Amino acid sequence: MTDGTAADLRRQIEQTRHQLGETVEELAAKADVRGRARARAADLRDRAGAMTVQLRSSAAEAGRHVQERANRAGHAVQGRASRAGHTVQETAVRAGHTAQDRAVQARHDLRGKASDVGRTAEGSAPAALRAPVGFARRHPWPVVIAGAAAVALVVAGARGRSSAKR
């Protein structure tokens, strides 16, 4: 044998040993069910962890999206409520002005009628009562106060008599 052929054979033997070693390792790995199960479990744990991270991220994004929509809806409702409040306030102000105008008109009408009644009463009153009736027409508040006091005295007297009877 020549040196070239022996070297080739040694190289081939070394290559075959190497391939055989790899094949034995592969067979050993296939025969190691417990090791493969552990590797598969570790792979599944890694995948589950990655899915958990992805789901948490998706949930956080969905939460932000929902919060933004809720904020926009809240602002819209607040704006509508504000506009409705202003509308109600304006309507109430207009109604108040209308009621005030009607009250002023009714007061003027009542004063006019009272003045007419007062003139009629003054003209048809006996001469001795014309001066007090004229005073009452010119100064109605003292007459109103005096009338209220008279009514209060009458009511107090009536109550006093009814409680004395008991």
Side-chain angles (χ1 to χ4, degrees), residues 84 86-102:
H86 288 302
T87 301
V88 167
Q89 184 178 10
E90 290 170 2
T91 303
V93 166
R94 281 196 303 273
H97 287 303
T98 301
Q100 184 178 8
D101 291 345
R102 288 182 182 167

Side-chain angles (χ1 to χ4, degrees), residues 50-66:
M51 285 182 143
T52 301
V53 168
Q54 184 179 5
L55 287 174
R56 284 183 181 164
S57 175
S58 296
E61 182 63 30
R64 282 191 293 274
H65 181 68
V66 167

Side-chain angles (χ1 to χ4, degrees), residues 27-94:
L27 286 173
K30 285 185 180 181
D32 184 17
V33 175
R34 190 179 282 171
R36 284 192 347 208
R38 285 184 190 144
R40 177 79 172 140
D43 181 50
L44 289 175
R45 273 194 303 273
D46 291 345
R47 288 174 64 188
M51 285 182 143
T52 301
V53 168
Q54 184 179 5
L55 287 174
R56 284 183 181 164
S57 175
S58 296
E61 182 63 30
R64 282 191 293 274
H65 181 68
V66 167
Q67 188 175 10
E68 287 175 11
R69 291 185 73 186
N71 282 342
R72 282 193 301 257
H75 288 302
V77 167
Q78 186 178 12
R80 288 183 190 131
S82 178
R83 286 191 297 276
H86 288 302
T87 301
V88 167
Q89 184 178 10
E90 290 170 2
T91 303
V93 166
R94 281 196 303 273

